[in-house]
Amino acid sequence: MGEQMDSQTLSSVAKAIVAPGKGVLAADESTPTIRKRFDSIQVESTEENRQQYREILFTAQNIERSIGGVILFDETLRQSAKDGTPFPTLLSKRGIVPGIKVDKGAKALALYAGEKITEGLDGLRERLLEYKELGAQFAKWRAVIGIDERDIPSPFGIRANAHALARYAALCQELDIVPIVEPEVLMDGSHDIERCEVVTSQVLEAVFAELDAHHVLFEGMLLKPNMVIAGMQCSRQAGVEEVAEATMRCMTRYVPAAVPGIVFLSGGQSAEKATAHLNAMNATGPYPWEVSFSYGRALQAPVLAAWKGEENNAFAAQHALSKRCRLNGLARDGAYAQEMEQEA
């Protein structure tokens, strides 16, 4: 093991992010992605508008009750609230751990048609040092695993992404930064839930083998996987209970008990569906790790719809976020019910 690593710090930060009832707000959309989100509500993606929107998110009432960590984008980590408080400081003061997305995006994997590899390892150690100085205590790297009915992903495509995730995680832990390891098997496509379970199993097995080979401390990391779910174009969509059952079977088999928490991504599910799935998974527990969430769109879609770029809608937008955070916090205990969606 690397001598510099402080296993105590890593473990306590990881546990704080997934403390009982808490999960992660993913607010790390890259500039092109946030532009798409803003386009959907006819708002121009200027730095000022992005700052204003993120301030609305980070100052919403009571979110610290169900949000343990927020993933920021490079630009956002450097921004401040209107009163001059840097965003990482603002979050820390609320008891929310600030984190940073560090990958440079998924690009085509050379000579492997239809597969992707995430870039960003070059110079990562230096970037992590700077991010740590700016207040980030955890990081995130997303590997994108395409899936079809038969040939994709290839064993090599899985291995290449698992290797990059492990190199990233080791660099983080060397600097006492908690890595969130995100191998996302995409929801796009017409594959069924059984195919998703097979591929997710292969991916998790490869990822943990690589993490182990790189001496990554399981107690000082978090896993951000996809749920085991049918492709969006599949004619047979599995019910909430079936998704929960398949997902938990897969996690129990492949995720070491030493990992403090699994923070599921929503991957394009609706806000309500993502909460229902999280609730169903927790209802079948207990598990050796915290079963939590790291949602972007599933927390923010209702916020954007309420905000519309209008300053006088800020309170309504914050109310929408507080509600989604609260409902996902309840889902962490299997205590969420569909009827709660109708409540104020």
Side-chain angles (χ1 to χ4, degrees):
M1 285 280 178
E3 283 167 53
Q4 299 121 303
M5 184 168 69
D6 179 352
S7 54
Q8 203 76 48
T9 299
L10 288 166
S11 163
S12 65
V13 171
K15 283 180 181 156
I17 295 168
V18 291
K22 294 187 180 186
V24 177
L25 165 62
D28 59 330
E29 298 84 5
S30 63
T31 311
T33 304
I34 195 89
R35 185 179 299 120
K36 271 188 229 157
R37 305 271 188 276
F38 279 14
D39 284 349
S40 72
I41 55 165
Q42 276 89 54
V43 172
E44 197 189 346
S45 181
T46 61
E47 187 180 349
E48 190 185 348
N49 284 342
R50 292 192 294 271
Q51 183 280 335
Q52 194 188 347
Y53 173 63
R54 262 108 187 207
E55 182 165 355
I56 285 170
L57 296 177
F58 306 155
T59 56
Q61 308 80 342
N62 301 325
I63 59 165
E64 67 280 359
R65 293 179 189 171
S66 31
I67 298 294
V70 173
I71 312 170
L72 305 169
F73 185 59
D74 182 280
E75 173 187 81
T76 321
L77 187 72
R78 302 170 194 278
Q79 286 176 332
S80 299
K82 281 197 280 286
D83 67 2
T85 311
F87 281 151
T89 309
L90 185 153
L91 292 167
S92 295
K93 279 183 176 163
R94 299 192 73 178
I96 298 171
V97 183
I100 177 75
K101 164 200 167 82
V102 298
D103 67 69
K104 299 274 193 179
K107 307 287 193 297
L109 179 61
L111 308 184
Y112 278 80
E115 297 193 70
K116 288 186 154 49
I117 185 78
T118 302
E119 298 185 347
L121 287 168
D122 290 351
L124 180 56
R125 186 182 265 124
E126 292 70 30
R127 285 195 293 132
L128 284 167
L129 271 167
E130 187 194 1
Y131 289 147
K132 191 177 178 179
E133 275 175 33
L134 289 167
Q137 294 178 57
F138 73 94
K140 192 205 78 165
W141 177 289
R142 173 177 179 245
V144 177
I145 314 288
I147 174 173
D148 66 10
E149 280 95 333
R150 227 170 37 137
D151 308 314
I152 292 176
S154 64
F156 178 76
I158 292 174
R159 202 163 74 238
N161 276 291
H163 184 79
L165 278 166
R167 277 187 61 193
Y168 139 80
L171 284 164
C172 287
Q173 289 194 342
E174 178 186 74
L175 297 170
D176 300 330
I177 291 170
V178 170
I180 291 188
V181 171
E182 179 179 7
E184 177 178 2
V185 177
L186 295 175
M187 274 174 68
D188 311 339
S190 49
H191 58 277
D192 59 20
I193 186 170
E194 289 79 12
R195 172 72 179 148
C196 181
E197 185 170 356
V198 167
V199 171
T200 303
S201 300
Q202 292 168 343
V203 168
L204 291 177
E205 187 174 25
V207 166
F208 280 102
E210 284 288 349
L211 288 167
D212 195 37
H214 283 71
H215 290 175
V216 170
L217 180 78
F218 293 162
E219 288 84 353
M221 63 163 278
L222 296 169
L223 177 72
K224 180 173 178 172
N226 53 284
M227 297 176 197
V228 174
I229 208 162
M232 285 190 277
Q233 281 80 54
C234 181
S235 55
R236 192 184 82 78
Q237 289 296 322
V240 171
E241 263 67 38
E242 193 184 346
V243 168
E245 198 181 310
T247 304
M248 290 291 98
R249 180 169 57 234
C250 191
M251 300 300 140
T252 307
R253 285 176 181 166
Y254 296 100
V255 183
V259 174
I262 300 177
V263 290
F264 285 97
L265 58 92
S266 49
Q269 299 176 45
S270 72
E272 289 84 356
K273 188 59 75 72
T275 308
H277 281 143
L278 179 67
N279 188 72
M281 290 189 276
N282 276 295
T284 60
Y287 292 100
W289 4 255
E290 294 289 332
V291 176
S292 187
F293 61 92
S294 175
Y295 292 166
R297 254 178 299 183
L299 284 172
Q300 292 186 51
V303 186
L304 284 163
W307 177 51
K308 302 186 184 78
E310 307 283 334
E311 209 167 328
N312 52 1
N313 289 339
F315 182 76
Q318 289 185 321
H319 182 72
L321 179 63
S322 299
K323 177 180 172 176
R324 286 259 60 87
C325 291
R326 183 170 56 80
L327 294 178
N328 282 297
L330 288 167
R332 286 276 279 107
D333 290 325
Y336 160 84
Q338 179 68 44
E339 302 78 73
M340 296 173 180
E341 294 290 349
Q342 274 55 64
E343 294 166 20

